[in-house]
Amino acid sequence: LNKALEFSEGNSFRVIVSGRQGYDEPCTEAFAMKKYLTEKGLSEERIILEERAADTKENVRFSYEIIK
């Protein structure tokens, strides 16, 4: 997430955060990452939530669908 913040400085790129809610987690991983990024100053409009992915393979697959 810190690298995403660094990369997004000085441009208008959007950031995709990906991950669903685990059985023992209070929110989706994507939402937790969005919260962290917004607390560090990235505007909500620049963050895209992908909340279906259950593993790394799905993170890539679902995020790629958004990118296309």
Side-chain angles (χ1 to χ4, degrees):
L1 294 176
N2 290 329
K3 286 294 180 188
L5 287 168
E6 286 178 35
F7 186 72
S8 67
E9 287 181 25
N11 61 58
S12 61
F13 294 139
R14 298 183 75 193
V15 176
I16 299 172
V17 290
S18 178
R20 72 178 183 196
Q21 185 172 356
Y23 72 92
D24 63 342
E25 298 171 329
C27 63
T28 66
E29 292 178 2
F31 182 82
M33 289 186 276
K34 177 183 176 180
K35 185 175 186 280
Y36 178 85
L37 292 170
T38 57
E39 288 173 355
K40 296 294 184 181
L42 189 64
S43 70
E44 287 189 42
E45 295 80 30
R46 294 182 61 192
I47 303 170
I48 301 168
L49 268 74
E50 185 295 298
E51 298 179 290
R52 298 180 298 155
D55 56 37
T56 303
K57 185 176 179 181
E58 288 184 351
N59 290 136
V60 173
R61 188 172 96 221
F62 296 144
S63 293
Y64 182 68
E65 289 175 8
I66 294 168
I67 292 167
K68 289 194 300 188

